[in-house]
Amino acid sequence: MSVKNPQTREWQDLSRDHHLAPFSDYKQLKEKGPRIITKAKGVHLWDSEGNKILDGMAGLWCVAVGYGREELAEAAASQMRELPYYNLFFQTAHPPALELARAITEVAPAGMSHVFFTGSGSEGNDTNLRMVRHYWALKGKPQKQVIIGRVNGYHGSTVAGAALGGMSGMHEQGGTLPGIVHIAQPYWFGEGGDMTPDAFGVWAAEQLEKKILEVGEDNVAAFIAEPIQGAGGVIIPPETYWPKIKEILAKYEILFIADEVICGFGRTGQWFGTDYYGLKPDLMTIAKGLTSGYIPMGGVIVRDEVAAVLSEGGDFNHGFTYSGHPVAAAVALENLRILRDEKIIERVQAETAPYLQKRLRELNDHPLVGEVRGLGMLGAIELVKDKTTRTRYEGKGVGMICRQFCFDNGLIMRAVGDTMIIAPPLVITCEEIDELVEKARKCLDLTLEALK
Ligand SMILES: *Cc1c(COP(=O)(O)O)cnc(C)c1O
């Protein structure tokens, strides 16, 4: 990449000489150097070359209230002055964590009134794995150990996160654990074949029952799933999927872990994805939108029946130095206040999400687009060679080509294979949605042109 600003080159040299990046193609990164993001405001970022970019991904799905919120900086600074750190281990606590636990359970589904704090979503899912196994042991059923996840699910990048998730590339690099099995994902566009979406949704849900029976109900601790798969490609399940899963979960004595790290805190236009789908999780993983990404924090919201069993159980030998970190908790509290007082989720539901979904679907007429789907502030655009047969451009890396055009034209869209995905800040306005969709169309045109 040629650069105008000499500092850009310096930073790129630092990257090459000193930094090992997360989730990056190292060889490519060394050749091209990273784009350096230097500041942000609202829904826009600026890079070190002075380019202004619309952030269609809210960072990594997290910057719900947008960039540059003074209140969040102020909350962090004043908490740092008052009590910058203390822990929640060995019978101590501090006000920000306790007040945040209450604030979270006020917006959580009824009957979920306890929170275990972690530093990230991955740590939340590590916590889930240990908590559900501990729970069953306390219930006198220690053989209930197996957790069922889904192919192409994403639950983070610690060993437990990677193993619970269904990303083969992560499994191959030390990311597996015994006692975790996977079932098919409800990805109709990619895997539905000749079935209708509804029939495929039922089929995909039935795989859960099949797996429970195969492993044996007495050996299954829990089923873990995202209400909508995010990193897997914004996969909105067919309408039949969750009702059928609900029916199956009601039949068997297993826990349901909803990974709400992306869907939680308003992304669907409801507080949680499980609210949107009417599900009844026993545990919910949270992170990302909890602090709008201004500072790391995650956790698990726990159903009362589970919390009651744990509370009778003596030591739970699990926790993180930064569980419920006071500065993170203060920021999260202020972030929840902003979401609530500014009625951001209500506006998403009533106004901006319907507008985004309507405008995105206009892209369906584009020759490169096989499907546009979305829900709330989530969207996906499938890039194909043939619309009717859903045939891809094999081996061309169309998604990455499109992603590069987006970056070069002032828009961040992420590519998952040949699926372009978006998850803008929840505060995006209708005018900014227009900007997003117009830039997306331009980049689709440029991509199609490049393929000729
Ligand atoms: C991002 C994500 C995680 C992992 O969260 P980290 O904070 O990156 O550890 C877990 N689950 C889902 C659904 C996610 O999108």
PDB file of all heavy atoms in Angstrom, residues 60-61 119-125 154-158 226 228 230-231 259-263 285 287-288 297, ligand 1:
ATOM      1  N   LEU A  60     -15.949  -4.460  16.203  1.00  0.00           N
ATOM      2  CA  LEU A  60     -16.292  -5.878  16.042  1.00  0.00           C
ATOM      3  C   LEU A  60     -17.656  -6.107  16.695  1.00  0.00           C
ATOM      4  O   LEU A  60     -17.751  -6.721  17.745  1.00  0.00           O
ATOM      5  CB  LEU A  60     -15.226  -6.778  16.683  1.00  0.00           C
ATOM      6  CG  LEU A  60     -13.917  -7.004  15.904  1.00  0.00           C
ATOM      7  CD1 LEU A  60     -12.932  -7.821  16.747  1.00  0.00           C
ATOM      8  CD2 LEU A  60     -14.166  -7.714  14.585  1.00  0.00           C
ATOM      9  N   TRP A  61     -18.675  -5.575  16.120  1.00  0.00           N
ATOM     10  CA  TRP A  61     -20.073  -5.720  16.570  1.00  0.00           C
ATOM     11  C   TRP A  61     -20.339  -5.034  17.914  1.00  0.00           C
ATOM     12  O   TRP A  61     -21.379  -5.272  18.528  1.00  0.00           O
ATOM     13  CB  TRP A  61     -20.468  -7.196  16.777  1.00  0.00           C
ATOM     14  CG  TRP A  61     -19.937  -8.226  15.866  1.00  0.00           C
ATOM     15  CD1 TRP A  61     -18.728  -8.852  15.950  1.00  0.00           C
ATOM     16  CD2 TRP A  61     -20.609  -8.816  14.746  1.00  0.00           C
ATOM     17  NE1 TRP A  61     -18.609  -9.792  14.962  1.00  0.00           N
ATOM     18  CE2 TRP A  61     -19.738  -9.801  14.212  1.00  0.00           C
ATOM     19  CE3 TRP A  61     -21.865  -8.623  14.158  1.00  0.00           C
ATOM     20  CZ2 TRP A  61     -20.076 -10.584  13.102  1.00  0.00           C
ATOM     21  CZ3 TRP A  61     -22.194  -9.411  13.055  1.00  0.00           C
ATOM     22  CH2 TRP A  61     -21.307 -10.368  12.543  1.00  0.00           C
ATOM     23  N   GLY A 119     -13.852 -11.042  31.743  1.00  0.00           N
ATOM     24  CA  GLY A 119     -13.230  -9.951  31.007  1.00  0.00           C
ATOM     25  C   GLY A 119     -13.590  -9.920  29.535  1.00  0.00           C
ATOM     26  O   GLY A 119     -13.247  -8.972  28.827  1.00  0.00           O
ATOM     27  N   SER A 120     -14.282 -10.960  29.041  1.00  0.00           N
ATOM     28  CA  SER A 120     -14.583 -11.046  27.606  1.00  0.00           C
ATOM     29  C   SER A 120     -15.671 -12.082  27.365  1.00  0.00           C
ATOM     30  O   SER A 120     -16.043 -12.841  28.276  1.00  0.00           O
ATOM     31  CB  SER A 120     -13.331 -11.474  26.835  1.00  0.00           C
ATOM     32  OG  SER A 120     -12.996 -12.815  27.176  1.00  0.00           O
ATOM     33  N   GLY A 121     -16.123 -12.139  26.124  1.00  0.00           N
ATOM     34  CA  GLY A 121     -17.115 -13.143  25.743  1.00  0.00           C
ATOM     35  C   GLY A 121     -16.540 -14.546  25.795  1.00  0.00           C
ATOM     36  O   GLY A 121     -17.205 -15.495  26.230  1.00  0.00           O
ATOM     37  N   SER A 122     -15.297 -14.696  25.352  1.00  0.00           N
ATOM     38  CA  SER A 122     -14.659 -16.010  25.392  1.00  0.00           C
ATOM     39  C   SER A 122     -14.596 -16.523  26.830  1.00  0.00           C
ATOM     40  O   SER A 122     -14.924 -17.685  27.101  1.00  0.00           O
ATOM     41  CB  SER A 122     -13.231 -15.931  24.848  1.00  0.00           C
ATOM     42  OG  SER A 122     -13.210 -15.430  23.537  1.00  0.00           O
ATOM     43  N   GLU A 123     -14.172 -15.661  27.726  1.00  0.00           N
ATOM     44  CA  GLU A 123     -14.107 -16.065  29.138  1.00  0.00           C
ATOM     45  C   GLU A 123     -15.505 -16.377  29.672  1.00  0.00           C
ATOM     46  O   GLU A 123     -15.657 -17.219  30.559  1.00  0.00           O
ATOM     47  CB  GLU A 123     -13.472 -14.949  29.980  1.00  0.00           C
ATOM     48  CG  GLU A 123     -11.987 -14.791  29.746  1.00  0.00           C
ATOM     49  CD  GLU A 123     -11.412 -13.603  30.531  1.00  0.00           C
ATOM     50  OE1 GLU A 123     -12.135 -13.013  31.364  1.00  0.00           O
ATOM     51  OE2 GLU A 123     -10.238 -13.271  30.300  1.00  0.00           O
ATOM     52  N   GLY A 124     -16.501 -15.701  29.135  1.00  0.00           N
ATOM     53  CA  GLY A 124     -17.884 -16.013  29.513  1.00  0.00           C
ATOM     54  C   GLY A 124     -18.229 -17.443  29.138  1.00  0.00           C
ATOM     55  O   GLY A 124     -18.851 -18.179  29.919  1.00  0.00           O
ATOM     56  N   ASN A 125     -17.811 -17.855  27.950  1.00  0.00           N
ATOM     57  CA  ASN A 125     -18.124 -19.217  27.522  1.00  0.00           C
ATOM     58  C   ASN A 125     -17.265 -20.259  28.238  1.00  0.00           C
ATOM     59  O   ASN A 125     -17.725 -21.377  28.477  1.00  0.00           O
ATOM     60  CB  ASN A 125     -18.042 -19.330  26.000  1.00  0.00           C
ATOM     61  CG  ASN A 125     -19.254 -18.676  25.354  1.00  0.00           C
ATOM     62  OD1 ASN A 125     -20.366 -18.784  25.889  1.00  0.00           O
ATOM     63  ND2 ASN A 125     -19.062 -17.988  24.240  1.00  0.00           N
ATOM     64  N   TYR A 154     -19.830 -19.409  16.572  1.00  0.00           N
ATOM     65  CA  TYR A 154     -18.640 -18.727  17.114  1.00  0.00           C
ATOM     66  C   TYR A 154     -18.869 -18.414  18.587  1.00  0.00           C
ATOM     67  O   TYR A 154     -19.835 -17.731  18.939  1.00  0.00           O
ATOM     68  CB  TYR A 154     -18.317 -17.434  16.353  1.00  0.00           C
ATOM     69  CG  TYR A 154     -16.997 -16.842  16.825  1.00  0.00           C
ATOM     70  CD1 TYR A 154     -15.790 -17.352  16.368  1.00  0.00           C
ATOM     71  CD2 TYR A 154     -16.960 -15.809  17.765  1.00  0.00           C
ATOM     72  CE1 TYR A 154     -14.576 -16.847  16.828  1.00  0.00           C
ATOM     73  CE2 TYR A 154     -15.755 -15.304  18.231  1.00  0.00           C
ATOM     74  CZ  TYR A 154     -14.570 -15.824  17.758  1.00  0.00           C
ATOM     75  OH  TYR A 154     -13.366 -15.329  18.220  1.00  0.00           O
ATOM     76  N   HIS A 155     -17.981 -18.927  19.429  1.00  0.00           N
ATOM     77  CA  HIS A 155     -18.114 -18.677  20.862  1.00  0.00           C
ATOM     78  C   HIS A 155     -16.829 -18.148  21.480  1.00  0.00           C
ATOM     79  O   HIS A 155     -16.635 -18.228  22.684  1.00  0.00           O
ATOM     80  CB  HIS A 155     -18.592 -19.943  21.570  1.00  0.00           C
ATOM     81  CG  HIS A 155     -19.930 -20.430  21.071  1.00  0.00           C
ATOM     82  ND1 HIS A 155     -21.074 -19.662  21.150  1.00  0.00           N
ATOM     83  CD2 HIS A 155     -20.298 -21.573  20.432  1.00  0.00           C
ATOM     84  CE1 HIS A 155     -22.091 -20.317  20.603  1.00  0.00           C
ATOM     85  NE2 HIS A 155     -21.643 -21.474  20.162  1.00  0.00           N
ATOM     86  N   GLY A 156     -15.936 -17.609  20.658  1.00  0.00           N
ATOM     87  CA  GLY A 156     -14.728 -16.992  21.180  1.00  0.00           C
ATOM     88  C   GLY A 156     -13.490 -17.802  20.877  1.00  0.00           C
ATOM     89  O   GLY A 156     -13.550 -18.829  20.205  1.00  0.00           O
ATOM     90  N   SER A 157     -12.365 -17.322  21.397  1.00  0.00           N
ATOM     91  CA  SER A 157     -11.084 -17.847  20.943  1.00  0.00           C
ATOM     92  C   SER A 157     -10.183 -18.383  22.052  1.00  0.00           C
ATOM     93  O   SER A 157      -9.038 -18.730  21.812  1.00  0.00           O
ATOM     94  CB  SER A 157     -10.348 -16.765  20.149  1.00  0.00           C
ATOM     95  OG  SER A 157      -9.311 -17.336  19.402  1.00  0.00           O
ATOM     96  N   THR A 158     -10.667 -18.455  23.292  1.00  0.00           N
ATOM     97  CA  THR A 158      -9.966 -19.277  24.272  1.00  0.00           C
ATOM     98  C   THR A 158     -10.177 -20.731  23.846  1.00  0.00           C
ATOM     99  O   THR A 158     -10.960 -21.000  22.932  1.00  0.00           O
ATOM    100  CB  THR A 158     -10.565 -19.071  25.678  1.00  0.00           C
ATOM    101  OG1 THR A 158     -11.982 -19.287  25.579  1.00  0.00           O
ATOM    102  CG2 THR A 158     -10.306 -17.663  26.197  1.00  0.00           C
ATOM    103  N   GLU A 226     -25.800 -19.288  19.345  1.00  0.00           N
ATOM    104  CA  GLU A 226     -26.108 -17.865  19.182  1.00  0.00           C
ATOM    105  C   GLU A 226     -27.536 -17.769  18.626  1.00  0.00           C
ATOM    106  O   GLU A 226     -27.862 -18.516  17.692  1.00  0.00           O
ATOM    107  CB  GLU A 226     -25.157 -17.221  18.176  1.00  0.00           C
ATOM    108  CG  GLU A 226     -23.679 -17.338  18.484  1.00  0.00           C
ATOM    109  CD  GLU A 226     -22.831 -17.316  17.211  1.00  0.00           C
ATOM    110  OE1 GLU A 226     -22.534 -16.225  16.712  1.00  0.00           O
ATOM    111  OE2 GLU A 226     -22.469 -18.394  16.703  1.00  0.00           O
ATOM    112  N   ILE A 228     -28.614 -15.599  16.635  1.00  0.00           N
ATOM    113  CA  ILE A 228     -28.266 -15.403  15.222  1.00  0.00           C
ATOM    114  C   ILE A 228     -26.760 -15.545  15.149  1.00  0.00           C
ATOM    115  O   ILE A 228     -26.039 -14.851  15.872  1.00  0.00           O
ATOM    116  CB  ILE A 228     -28.676 -14.007  14.733  1.00  0.00           C
ATOM    117  CG1 ILE A 228     -30.202 -13.863  14.736  1.00  0.00           C
ATOM    118  CG2 ILE A 228     -28.119 -13.733  13.332  1.00  0.00           C
ATOM    119  CD1 ILE A 228     -30.675 -12.427  14.608  1.00  0.00           C
ATOM    120  N   GLY A 230     -23.248 -14.765  14.269  1.00  0.00           N
ATOM    121  CA  GLY A 230     -22.651 -13.528  13.789  1.00  0.00           C
ATOM    122  C   GLY A 230     -21.446 -13.788  12.908  1.00  0.00           C
ATOM    123  O   GLY A 230     -21.514 -13.669  11.682  1.00  0.00           O
ATOM    124  N   ALA A 231     -20.333 -14.185  13.544  1.00  0.00           N
ATOM    125  CA  ALA A 231     -19.080 -14.382  12.811  1.00  0.00           C
ATOM    126  C   ALA A 231     -19.220 -15.442  11.724  1.00  0.00           C
ATOM    127  O   ALA A 231     -18.484 -15.436  10.739  1.00  0.00           O
ATOM    128  CB  ALA A 231     -17.969 -14.763  13.785  1.00  0.00           C
ATOM    129  N   ASP A 259     -25.683 -17.722  23.538  1.00  0.00           N
ATOM    130  CA  ASP A 259     -24.533 -16.820  23.424  1.00  0.00           C
ATOM    131  C   ASP A 259     -25.033 -15.505  22.831  1.00  0.00           C
ATOM    132  O   ASP A 259     -25.249 -15.381  21.630  1.00  0.00           O
ATOM    133  CB  ASP A 259     -23.440 -17.445  22.554  1.00  0.00           C
ATOM    134  CG  ASP A 259     -22.173 -16.605  22.571  1.00  0.00           C
ATOM    135  OD1 ASP A 259     -22.279 -15.380  22.812  1.00  0.00           O
ATOM    136  OD2 ASP A 259     -21.089 -17.147  22.323  1.00  0.00           O
ATOM    137  N   GLU A 260     -25.229 -14.541  23.715  1.00  0.00           N
ATOM    138  CA  GLU A 260     -25.822 -13.241  23.352  1.00  0.00           C
ATOM    139  C   GLU A 260     -24.753 -12.168  23.141  1.00  0.00           C
ATOM    140  O   GLU A 260     -25.050 -10.974  23.205  1.00  0.00           O
ATOM    141  CB  GLU A 260     -26.773 -12.788  24.473  1.00  0.00           C
ATOM    142  CG  GLU A 260     -28.045 -13.627  24.584  1.00  0.00           C
ATOM    143  CD  GLU A 260     -29.169 -13.087  23.713  1.00  0.00           C
ATOM    144  OE1 GLU A 260     -28.926 -12.144  22.928  1.00  0.00           O
ATOM    145  OE2 GLU A 260     -30.285 -13.614  23.823  1.00  0.00           O
ATOM    146  N   VAL A 261     -23.521 -12.594  22.907  1.00  0.00           N
ATOM    147  CA  VAL A 261     -22.428 -11.619  22.840  1.00  0.00           C
ATOM    148  C   VAL A 261     -22.681 -10.599  21.722  1.00  0.00           C
ATOM    149  O   VAL A 261     -22.396  -9.411  21.891  1.00  0.00           O
ATOM    150  CB  VAL A 261     -21.061 -12.319  22.699  1.00  0.00           C
ATOM    151  CG1 VAL A 261     -19.960 -11.315  22.395  1.00  0.00           C
ATOM    152  CG2 VAL A 261     -20.740 -13.081  23.980  1.00  0.00           C
ATOM    153  N   ILE A 262     -23.253 -11.040  20.598  1.00  0.00           N
ATOM    154  CA  ILE A 262     -23.593 -10.093  19.532  1.00  0.00           C
ATOM    155  C   ILE A 262     -25.036  -9.609  19.656  1.00  0.00           C
ATOM    156  O   ILE A 262     -25.314  -8.413  19.554  1.00  0.00           O
ATOM    157  CB  ILE A 262     -23.349 -10.729  18.141  1.00  0.00           C
ATOM    158  CG1 ILE A 262     -21.842 -10.780  17.875  1.00  0.00           C
ATOM    159  CG2 ILE A 262     -24.077  -9.955  17.046  1.00  0.00           C
ATOM    160  CD1 ILE A 262     -21.449 -11.469  16.596  1.00  0.00           C
ATOM    161  N   CYS A 263     -25.958 -10.531  19.864  1.00  0.00           N
ATOM    162  CA  CYS A 263     -27.378 -10.148  19.858  1.00  0.00           C
ATOM    163  C   CYS A 263     -27.772  -9.321  21.076  1.00  0.00           C
ATOM    164  O   CYS A 263     -28.733  -8.543  21.017  1.00  0.00           O
ATOM    165  CB  CYS A 263     -28.253 -11.398  19.776  1.00  0.00           C
ATOM    166  SG  CYS A 263     -28.164 -12.217  18.168  1.00  0.00           S
ATOM    167  N   THR A 285     -24.473 -15.702  27.597  1.00  0.00           N
ATOM    168  CA  THR A 285     -23.155 -15.074  27.537  1.00  0.00           C
ATOM    169  C   THR A 285     -23.324 -13.646  27.042  1.00  0.00           C
ATOM    170  O   THR A 285     -24.039 -13.406  26.066  1.00  0.00           O
ATOM    171  CB  THR A 285     -22.244 -15.808  26.539  1.00  0.00           C
ATOM    172  OG1 THR A 285     -22.537 -17.196  26.577  1.00  0.00           O
ATOM    173  CG2 THR A 285     -20.783 -15.542  26.833  1.00  0.00           C
ATOM    174  N   ALA A 287     -21.116  -9.732  26.344  1.00  0.00           N
ATOM    175  CA  ALA A 287     -19.857  -8.968  26.221  1.00  0.00           C
ATOM    176  C   ALA A 287     -20.153  -7.829  25.235  1.00  0.00           C
ATOM    177  O   ALA A 287     -21.229  -7.244  25.292  1.00  0.00           O
ATOM    178  CB  ALA A 287     -18.700  -9.846  25.758  1.00  0.00           C
ATOM    179  N   LYS A 288     -19.233  -7.552  24.343  1.00  0.00           N
ATOM    180  CA  LYS A 288     -19.403  -6.556  23.273  1.00  0.00           C
ATOM    181  C   LYS A 288     -20.292  -5.359  23.636  1.00  0.00           C
ATOM    182  O   LYS A 288     -19.821  -4.399  24.225  1.00  0.00           O
ATOM    183  CB  LYS A 288     -19.872  -7.264  21.990  1.00  0.00           C
ATOM    184  CG  LYS A 288     -18.799  -8.233  21.492  1.00  0.00           C
ATOM    185  CD  LYS A 288     -18.982  -8.735  20.084  1.00  0.00           C
ATOM    186  CE  LYS A 288     -17.753  -9.523  19.660  1.00  0.00           C
ATOM    187  NZ  LYS A 288     -18.007 -10.879  19.241  1.00  0.00           N
ATOM    188  N   MET A 297     -15.167  -6.213  28.762  1.00  0.00           N
ATOM    189  CA  MET A 297     -15.953  -6.827  29.840  1.00  0.00           C
ATOM    190  C   MET A 297     -16.902  -7.854  29.250  1.00  0.00           C
ATOM    191  O   MET A 297     -17.422  -7.674  28.152  1.00  0.00           O
ATOM    192  CB  MET A 297     -16.767  -5.779  30.594  1.00  0.00           C
ATOM    193  CG  MET A 297     -17.515  -6.371  31.785  1.00  0.00           C
ATOM    194  SD  MET A 297     -18.328  -5.113  32.778  1.00  0.00           S
ATOM    195  CE  MET A 297     -17.762  -5.550  34.391  1.00  0.00           C
TER     196      MET A 297
HETATM  197  C1  LIG B   1     -17.138 -12.054  19.839  1.00  0.00           C
HETATM  198  C2  LIG B   1     -17.901 -13.238  20.311  1.00  0.00           C
HETATM  199  C3  LIG B   1     -17.437 -14.014  21.380  1.00  0.00           C
HETATM  200  C4  LIG B   1     -16.097 -13.790  22.016  1.00  0.00           C
HETATM  201  O1  LIG B   1     -16.010 -12.602  22.699  1.00  0.00           O
HETATM  202  P1  LIG B   1     -14.547 -12.003  23.024  1.00  0.00           P
HETATM  203  O2  LIG B   1     -14.857 -10.805  23.839  1.00  0.00           O
HETATM  204  O3  LIG B   1     -13.887 -11.734  21.709  1.00  0.00           O
HETATM  205  O4  LIG B   1     -13.823 -13.040  23.790  1.00  0.00           O
HETATM  206  C5  LIG B   1     -18.247 -15.032  21.833  1.00  0.00           C
HETATM  207  N1  LIG B   1     -19.424 -15.284  21.266  1.00  0.00           N
HETATM  208  C6  LIG B   1     -19.894 -14.574  20.237  1.00  0.00           C
HETATM  209  C7  LIG B   1     -21.241 -14.876  19.684  1.00  0.00           C
HETATM  210  C8  LIG B   1     -19.142 -13.535  19.703  1.00  0.00           C
HETATM  211  O5  LIG B   1     -19.578 -12.850  18.647  1.00  0.00           O
END
